[in-house]
Amino acid sequence: MTVTIVGAQLGDEGKGGVVDLYGDTADVVARYQGGDNAGHTVVHDGEEYKLSLVPSGAVRGKVGVLGNGCVVNPETLFEEIDALRERGLDPDVRVAERAHVILPYHRALDGIEEEEKDDLAAGTTGRGIGPTYEDKAGRRGVRIGDLLDPEALRDRLEYVVPQKKALAEEVFGKETGEAFDIDHLYDTYREFGERLAEEDMTVDCGTFLQERIDADESVMLEGAQGTSIDIDHGIYPYVTSSNPTAGGATVGTGLGPTVVGQGEVIGIIKAYLSRVGTGPLPTELGGVEGQTPDYDPAEASADEEELATYIRDEGGEYGTVTGRPRRVGWLDMPMLRHAARANGFTGLAINHIDVLAGLDEVKVGHSYEFDTADSASHQNAARSDDGDELLTMPPTTEQWGRCEATFKAFDGWEDVDWAAVAEEGYDAIPENARTYLEYVSDELETPIYAVGVGPGREETVIVETPDE
Ligand code: IMP
């Protein structure tokens, strides 16, 4: 059986902790999309490991696979593996030969294009993710398998690099260096290929995983980022360039949809909202300069700013990869209803309810009031009983930006000894927090499998274990 872990919001929902927890019973943990734009912190035997590419299960002795849907920067991959080895671990990481390679010119172009896009910039992590997926779709990418085949690598680079160089120099007027130099790239990436071969790291991902499943092993499929920054189902163009949604788990690993569909699909939800990057956010509290559209700190409500800072600090809402402060907001239920449908969640893990402890009142954006100019495109959207409010996200980001959240308020809950709560179980969670959790579960018609009550994986209340 497979267990697929999907972010239900904008990424940073605390997937790592859940993967870590449920991954304990898994034999293999495979990532199916994204690259070193993901950041996760794993705490193991009291040691903290920060990873952006290597699947977190590899820290715990599981086989970690980077699926064909991933984009792999070999430099990051080996840096992370070497750092883990230096700390006494022996990670077993496999990489799909069909996965695409992030090359230095992808990173360079990511920065150049973001600068050029101005208001349309997605606020990317600058890791070259978008340009690499562009080349994949443009059929001019370099794949992991090519690094093992000197002739194929040379051919691919000779075709693509002059185009990238011309783009950077002639379209964007930038100077280029060795990131755009065929010989340099060939030598460097051949070496990476040799190391991949020497360490026997490459696999035909679908076959590899299916064999493990046929041998009765349990496979966890780990999504990075989240549903609302999915390239198809997210807030385009402020999205990442892959499919974090559950469909991506099949395309990005080579396992059939029926295989993934027979397993569990667990939606990971943070009890509030946070994001790095630009674009609308109807339930946002306060704002962050350079990210919140039209943000003017002088005009922001002092109460909201205080609340936002409180949540940001309590929740450690600063990017793992970039260190940028994240924008924060109340839970957005239309976003979650959209995610529940797009992913077909079979269970939910709701994280970070401890972060909201101590607030008098906790709100959620229950629905949206929408601009009547948009009503035609909202024809088949779920609405409230009186038809005046939207219950799911509209299809365009511009329409989403015109939605105003209608809030529901819940009584806050006290700060308690969360480690004790985790040990005692669900009924030990403060009553008001349970009311909040059950509202989310009822609205999404999906049972709660786990509740995160602190940063460590022990600080999780387990209600249901997927493969038991
Ligand atoms: P990219 O994935 O670096 O191209 O960035 C595209 C958008 O996705 C930006 O808004 C990023 O902030 C966001 N993003 C990418 N990776 C993550 C992540 O792991 N967590 C949250 N947001 C992310």
Side-chain angles (χ1 to χ4, degrees):
M1 193 185 95
T2 60
V3 176
T4 303
I5 302 289
V6 181
Q9 294 152 317
L10 294 146
D12 309 313
E13 298 93 348
K15 290 180 290 295
V18 179
V19 168
D20 211 19
L21 187 74
Y22 286 151
D24 235 7
T25 55
D27 301 289
V28 181
V29 179
R31 276 190 57 185
Y32 55 84
Q33 43 72 233
D36 54 351
N37 50 346
H40 38 264
T41 306
V42 187
V43 183
H44 179 52
D45 283 348
E47 294 271 317
E48 198 176 271
Y49 302 91
K50 283 195 188 296
L51 300 169
S52 60
L53 184 61
V54 167
S56 47
V59 171
R60 296 185 190 286
K62 313 289 169 187
V63 180
V65 181
L66 295 170
N68 55 276
C70 295
V71 285
V72 179
N73 184 333
E75 210 175 313
T76 313
L77 177 69
F78 288 124
E79 262 171 32
E80 290 188 358
I81 290 177
D82 290 345
L84 293 175
R85 285 191 182 147
E86 264 167 39
R87 293 172 70 180
L89 299 178
D90 184 21
D92 183 353
V93 181
R94 313 297 174 95
V95 190
E97 287 201 36
R98 289 184 170 91
H100 279 251
V101 179
I102 301 181
L103 285 134
Y105 53 79
H106 290 125
R107 273 198 179 214
L109 285 165
D110 194 355
I112 294 173
E113 291 183 29
E114 277 286 285
E115 215 179 284
E116 200 71 19
K117 276 181 165 172
D118 204 14
D119 275 359
L120 285 177
T124 72
T125 57
R127 300 295 195 265
I129 307 296
T132 308
Y133 279 113
E134 265 178 55
D135 281 354
K136 170 179 176 174
R139 294 162 298 193
R140 65 180 96 83
V142 174
R143 304 202 294 178
I144 289 290
D146 301 330
L147 303 186
L148 277 60
D149 181 341
E151 223 173 290
L153 176 62
R154 186 95 215 174
D155 283 353
R156 302 254 190 280
L157 292 173
E158 279 182 2
Y159 173 71
V160 73
V161 175
Q163 294 181 15
K164 299 292 157 187
K165 199 170 157 69
L167 181 64
E169 289 177 354
E170 286 159 38
V171 176
F172 294 116
K174 303 287 176 191
E175 277 181 29
T176 58
E178 53 181 26
F180 293 78
D181 180 273
I182 297 178
D183 290 335
H184 171 76
L185 293 170
Y186 176 79
D187 292 343
T188 315
Y189 284 75
R190 260 306 292 148
E191 260 177 52
F192 287 135
E194 278 163 15
R195 183 161 173 196
L196 286 166
E198 266 161 32
E199 300 194 19
D200 203 15
M201 288 173 68
T202 59
V203 289
D204 177 350
C205 185
T207 306
F208 179 80
L209 294 179
Q210 189 64 56
E211 279 175 5
R212 311 297 291 239
I213 292 171
D214 292 344
D216 256 353
E217 293 192 7
S218 106
V219 173
M220 172 168 276
L221 306 175
E222 175 183 356
Q225 291 88 39
T227 302
S228 278
I229 54 172
D230 180 288
I231 187 141
D232 285 276
H233 303 289
I235 48 170
Y236 194 90
Y238 309 106
V239 291
T240 191
S241 299
S242 64
N243 290 117
T245 41
T250 155
V251 179
T253 57
L255 289 173
T258 42
V259 174
V260 175
Q262 276 158 13
E264 299 263 8
V265 178
I266 303 179
I268 316 300
I269 295 173
K270 174 145 54 182
Y272 53 94
L273 216 54
S274 77
R275 79 156 304 175
V276 182
T278 45
L281 199 59
T283 60
E284 182 163 17
L285 284 162
V288 174
E289 258 178 312
Q291 296 187 54
T292 306
D294 307 320
Y295 177 63
D296 180 357
E299 281 189 18
S301 133
D303 287 352
E304 271 200 19
E305 292 289 334
E306 197 182 321
L307 204 46
T309 306
Y310 178 81
I311 295 175
R312 189 174 297 120
D313 289 347
E314 287 290 306
E317 294 296 347
Y318 297 86
T320 322
V321 173
T322 58
R324 290 183 286 185
R326 298 183 185 138
R327 298 162 68 188
V328 295
W330 297 120
L331 202 63
D332 186 319
M333 290 309 295
M335 177 189 282
L336 290 180
R337 292 187 194 97
H338 170 70
R341 187 198 43 72
N343 293 293
F345 293 143
T346 58
L348 303 174
I350 306 183
N351 282 327
H352 296 321
I353 61 159
D354 55 306
V355 170
L356 301 180
L359 298 177
D360 292 338
E361 185 179 68
V362 174
K363 290 187 183 174
V364 298
H366 174 78
S367 58
Y368 301 142
E369 274 180 43
F370 60 97
D371 194 318
T372 46
D374 291 328
S375 58
S377 58
H378 292 164
Q379 290 288 10
N380 60 1
R383 307 238 188 146
S384 56
D385 290 343
D386 59 13
D388 286 344
E389 283 177 290
L390 279 187
L391 295 175
T392 64
M393 278 174 100
T396 81
T397 305
E398 289 67 28
Q399 291 162 8
W400 193 48
R402 289 192 287 272
C403 287
E404 279 199 29
T406 307
F407 291 97
K408 224 179 194 0
F410 291 80
D411 289 333
W413 47 90
E414 64 279 18
D415 206 5
V416 293
D417 178 350
W418 295 104
V421 168
E423 223 161 87
E424 280 169 52
Y426 187 79
D427 290 339
I429 295 174
E431 193 183 346
N432 290 347
R434 275 183 282 135
T435 305
Y436 183 77
L437 295 168
E438 282 151 28
Y439 157 81
V440 176
S441 169
D442 288 348
E443 289 292 322
L444 304 185
E445 298 176 16
T446 312
I448 293 176
Y449 277 18
V451 183
V453 296
R457 73 172 188 155
E458 302 74 27
E459 289 154 302
T460 308
V461 175
I462 301 172
V463 183
E464 194 87 44
T465 305
D467 50 0
E468 277 175 4

